[in-house]
Amino acid sequence: MDETTTRPTEEILAERLKQDSPIPADCTDDELACADFSRRDVLIGTVRNDAQFDHTLASLSYYAPVKAISPQDLPVRMIALYEEALSRRDGIKRYGEITDTRVVRRDEIAVPLSRTNQAEAYYLFTVRSWEYLEHPIALIGTSRGKPSFTTEFLLTHARRSYQLVCVHSPADFRLLQVICELCAKAEKQAVPQFRSIDENHILSVAEGMLSLIHARGEVRFRCFLRAMETEPAEVINRLSHLLGFR
C-alpha cells in the first residue's frame, strides 16, 4: 500500500527533512546547461505565524509589502513557502504557480494586522494550488525576513535553504555538490577527503576544515566546516570568486 494512503503527508515530509542528504539532487550536464540561473522568478515567501499560514493555504494566496519587492523582481511566476517558527516542522515544503498579481491595501487582507499599516500597499498573489515538493528543503544558513528569489531548477534540486540563493551558474552548482559530498563523506568516514576542482585546484575536507589548495601547495582559502551551516552562502561565494566562476 502507498504510504500516502495511511500516513499524513506532513509526517512523511517531516521525516524526509530529518533524513535527506544535504547534497543537491544530481542532474545531467545537459539539464544543467539548460537551467537559467538569471531568471530568478520564484519568490521564497515567509509566513510569520499560524494565522497567516492558515489563511495562505485556505485562500490560495500570498501577500507581501510592495516595498519589499523591487520592480526588477517582477513578474513573479511561482511562490515557495518558507515555514519557520510555526506549529509545524520548519522547512520549505510547498510551492504554487501564480495565476494573478494585484496591489491592495493591507486592511483588505483578512489576516489580523500586526502593525498600524492599514493603508500600506501589498502585492496579493493568487496561486493555482499549493503543491508539495517531492523533497522538502531544510532551513540551514538562512533566516526569515525580506522575500528572496530563486529559480525553479534550484527549488527542485536544493536540499538546504541557503542553496536556493548562493548558486548563480552551472559551475556554482557543481562546486556546491562537490563541497556537500566531501563534507558528508568526511562526517561518515572520519578521514580526509580530497577532490580536484580544475587543473590547478583541489578541495579538501580534513580535521574540521574546508580548504581550497592550489597545485603549487598554496592554501587559497580555509574555513571551519561549521561555516557551511552558519554562513554557507559566504563560503560558496568566496570559493566561486577564487576559482574564477564569477
Side-chain angles (χ1 to χ4, degrees), residues 31-49:
E31 289 172 329
L32 188 56
C34 292
D36 185 356
F37 291 99
S38 66
R39 187 183 179 187
R40 307 185 86 82
D41 56 2
V42 179
L43 186 156
I44 306 169
T46 62
V47 284
R48 297 188 175 278
N49 52 55

Side-chain angles (χ1 to χ4, degrees), residues 25-141:
D26 200 11
C27 62
T28 66
D29 289 339
D30 287 341
E31 289 172 329
L32 188 56
C34 292
D36 185 356
F37 291 99
S38 66
R39 187 183 179 187
R40 307 185 86 82
D41 56 2
V42 179
L43 186 156
I44 306 169
T46 62
V47 284
R48 297 188 175 278
N49 52 55
D50 284 313
Q52 182 189 6
F53 179 81
D54 292 340
H55 176 268
T56 296
L57 289 194
S59 65
L60 296 177
S61 68
Y62 179 79
Y63 60 91
V66 167
K67 67 182 180 183
I69 298 176
S70 302
Q72 57 264 34
D73 292 325
L74 300 174
V76 181
R77 190 169 60 87
M78 298 172 65
I79 294 173
L81 292 182
Y82 190 105
E83 303 173 29
E84 183 182 30
L86 304 176
S87 59
R88 304 157 181 80
R89 186 174 179 84
D90 294 348
I92 299 173
K93 298 171 283 185
R94 298 170 177 82
Y95 69 97
E97 180 186 356
I98 294 172
T99 58
D100 182 62
T101 302
R102 58 195 179 97
V103 177
V104 300
R105 287 168 48 110
R106 175 61 181 86
D107 58 9
E108 296 179 60
I109 301 169
V111 176
L113 291 162
S114 58
R115 298 183 286 122
T116 56
N117 62 335
Q118 294 94 329
E120 183 176 352
Y122 272 66
Y123 284 117
L124 182 63
F125 303 99
T126 302
V127 302
R128 191 180 312 280
S129 62
W130 291 115
E131 305 290 342
Y132 285 110
L133 285 171
E134 182 177 353
H135 293 279
I137 300 169
L139 305 185
I140 302 292

